[in-house]
Amino acid sequence: PVTVDLKKPYLLHKLESEPPMTAEVTRDELLGYYSLMFRMRRMEISADTLYKAKHVKGFCHLYDGQEAICVGMEAGATWGDSVVTSYRDHAWQLSRGDTVKGVLCELLGKQGGCAKGMGGSMHMYKADANFYGGNGIVGSQAPLGAGMAFAHKYNNDGCCAFALYGDGASNQGQLFEALNMAALMKLPLVYVCENNQYGMGTSKKRSSANDDYYTRGGYVPGIKCDGMNVLSVRECTKFLKKHAVEVGPIVVEFDTYRYHGH
């Protein structure tokens, strides 16, 4: 293994410790991360081409640019940990064990998709790998994530729930209601804000009075991490899971950027 220095420092809110600023990684791990991110990127570019050719009906929200978050989180967590995300979900479906063919089948309305082609872009789902979508309503995954965290605590299985949302969903009331309940019950919940700088076409500066999203939990600790570095995300995810399981909910803001429109 080699030791890699992580360049961008973490920013902390109500935390006294932080993830390491170095990451140990092997050649095989690096190749695995690169291979998966590359497949995600090519899949999303193909989906974009199909969408613009009008073969994809309905919506098509692409993840290209944000792959390091998904791959880094998977490297720091396990499939025992539950994941629920927004409608930008194609890459998560792939990382949880589906195939490129399976994702594209769902996009194209074909039988081979996870919902037999009836869900489309926004409703990927793989319950056998604890991936619960793909949710079309902005912010709706936040309370679902709290419910999944409750299940982990009830079952005492040592796992946690990751609920991902974008900066565009960060002002949703249901997010704060669920976080309050999670804090009261000390649920193993990680709120993951994938800050890609824009909600649809609106800059975060024009939509959020406070765009330091990692502080928005108030009474819940938070951390900001470089979302463009897969190793930073991996080390941060290990830290987040440990905190969630041993202490309670935590908010993370992964600073990232998407390369396609909404």
Side-chain angles (χ1 to χ4, degrees), residues 136-194:
I137 298 173
V138 174
S140 65
Q141 65 273 27
L144 293 176
M148 285 152 36
F150 180 85
H152 285 301
K153 181 162 184 156
Y154 185 86
N155 292 325
N156 194 28
D157 57 14
C159 293
C160 71
F162 294 96
L164 294 90
Y165 58 96
D167 51 289
S170 65
N171 300 310
Q172 282 279 317
Q174 55 190 328
L175 191 151
F176 297 97
E177 293 175 49
L179 190 58
N180 178 62
M181 294 175 69
L184 283 171
M185 292 187 273
K186 294 182 169 54
L187 300 182
L189 172 65
V190 182
Y191 261 179
V192 182
C193 179
E194 296 181 284

Side-chain angles (χ1 to χ4, degrees), residues 20-257:
M21 284 302 296
T22 59
E24 276 202 2
V25 64
T26 66
R27 179 178 182 274
D28 287 344
E29 284 174 334
L30 285 172
L31 286 171
Y33 302 155
Y34 176 76
S35 173
L36 183 52
M37 287 191 289
F38 185 82
R39 258 185 298 146
M40 289 173 176
R41 178 67 58 87
R42 296 308 307 161
M43 179 181 74
E44 293 294 65
I45 298 302
S46 297
D48 182 58
T49 302
L50 289 166
Y51 180 71
K52 288 172 178 171
K54 298 187 173 11
H55 295 302
V56 175
K57 310 303 181 193
F59 295 96
C60 186
H61 301 284
L62 302 176
Y63 202 71
D64 51 324
Q66 301 180 204
E67 298 92 346
I69 296 175
C70 177
V71 175
M73 284 180 64
E74 291 286 39
T78 71
W79 282 8
D81 300 306
S82 301
V83 173
V84 63
T85 188
S86 67
Y87 41 67
R88 206 175 299 280
D89 58 354
H90 306 164
W92 278 99
Q93 182 75 8
L94 186 65
S95 75
R96 285 272 152 158
D98 207 340
T99 62
V100 171
K101 180 181 177 181
V103 173
L104 294 180
C105 277
E106 187 60 37
L107 287 175
L108 296 169
K110 304 297 183 185
Q111 181 80 12
C114 60
K116 298 183 179 177
M118 293 184 285
S121 173
M122 299 195 290
H123 300 103
M124 301 292 168
Y125 198 83
K126 205 166 190 307
D128 62 352
N130 285 316
F131 176 55
Y132 298 103
N135 289 273
I137 298 173
V138 174
S140 65
Q141 65 273 27
L144 293 176
M148 285 152 36
F150 180 85
H152 285 301
K153 181 162 184 156
Y154 185 86
N155 292 325
N156 194 28
D157 57 14
C159 293
C160 71
F162 294 96
L164 294 90
Y165 58 96
D167 51 289
S170 65
N171 300 310
Q172 282 279 317
Q174 55 190 328
L175 191 151
F176 297 97
E177 293 175 49
L179 190 58
N180 178 62
M181 294 175 69
L184 283 171
M185 292 187 273
K186 294 182 169 54
L187 300 182
L189 172 65
V190 182
Y191 261 179
V192 182
C193 179
E194 296 181 284
N195 177 12
N196 61 23
Q197 317 307 318
Y198 292 89
M200 295 187 71
T202 304
S203 164
K204 62 182 183 180
K205 291 289 185 187
R206 296 178 57 213
S207 64
S208 297
N210 174 9
D211 61 3
D212 290 325
Y213 298 107
Y214 68 102
T215 70
R216 297 277 296 270
Y219 42 81
V220 173
I223 184 169
K224 185 175 183 177
C225 171
D226 180 10
M228 302 300 274
N229 185 327
V230 69
L231 297 178
S232 292
V233 175
R234 185 189 75 175
E235 297 306 311
C236 189
T237 301
K238 292 176 183 176
F239 175 88
L240 294 165
K241 179 178 177 177
K242 187 173 188 295
H243 183 282
V245 171
E246 296 178 1
V247 181
I250 187 169
V251 176
V252 62
E253 174 187 345
F254 286 126
D255 201 29
T256 186
Y257 191 75

Side-chain angles (χ1 to χ4, degrees), residues 5-24:
D5 291 327
L6 306 176
K7 303 298 183 186
K8 286 193 178 180
Y10 304 101
L11 300 180
L12 307 179
H13 171 67
K14 294 179 73 72
L15 285 170
E16 295 180 359
S17 60
E18 67 177 27
M21 284 302 296
T22 59
E24 276 202 2

